[in-house]
Amino acid sequence: MKEPGWHNAPVPTLGPTSARLLIVGLAPGLRGANRTGRPFTGDWAGDLLYETLADCGFTRGSYDENGDDDLELIDTCITNAVRCVPPQNKPTPAEIKICRTFLDQTIAAMPRLKAIVALGRISHDSVSRALGEGPARLPFAHGREFALPLIGGGVTLFDSYHCSRYNTNTGVLTPQMFRAVFSRVRDLLDGVSASPATAEPQ
Ligand code: URA
């Protein structure tokens, strides 16, 4: 093993199961979550995610890239579609399928769940399968919202481009676009009515 001091293992979901919001990333970053053992902790994607969550009232305390902090998620859980760092940073269909068992369990363990933010298409596809829908009925699009029936009440699936360094460096995703998605989630959870962009499954 190259870095025996690192976590180097499946990265567990972060946050309380009583949360109403679940954020689903792609997979642990090699030098980020795979090092620290906490989702999105220690890489660029995490810097942007945790800053945005703080701005929208989903965290308290401070975030440190080594996880050596007093960060607390408020009403929020964070997980990944794939739980281990994938070879070449690209999860295989088999890995995604196997890890969906954990995603199913994570969703089932959240009785108050109202909103899921899927970061990127792979995460979106895995979440939509976990919700018994499937990507053909729920095509991914940044900023799109899907109101879905689910056991125990309705859940809205929010799509965002992944907050990776690649996406922000190429301008695919700006911090403002990312923040707008979480502002919508904030509004939904605070009881502000849905925007016209809300779509029913096709
Ligand atoms: N870190 C994670 O935990 N997930 C991602 O998708 C990216 C970085």
Side-chain angles (χ1 to χ4, degrees), residues 25-29 33 39-40 43 45 80 162:
L26 173 58
F40 286 92
D43 53 25
N80 282 303
H162 192 283

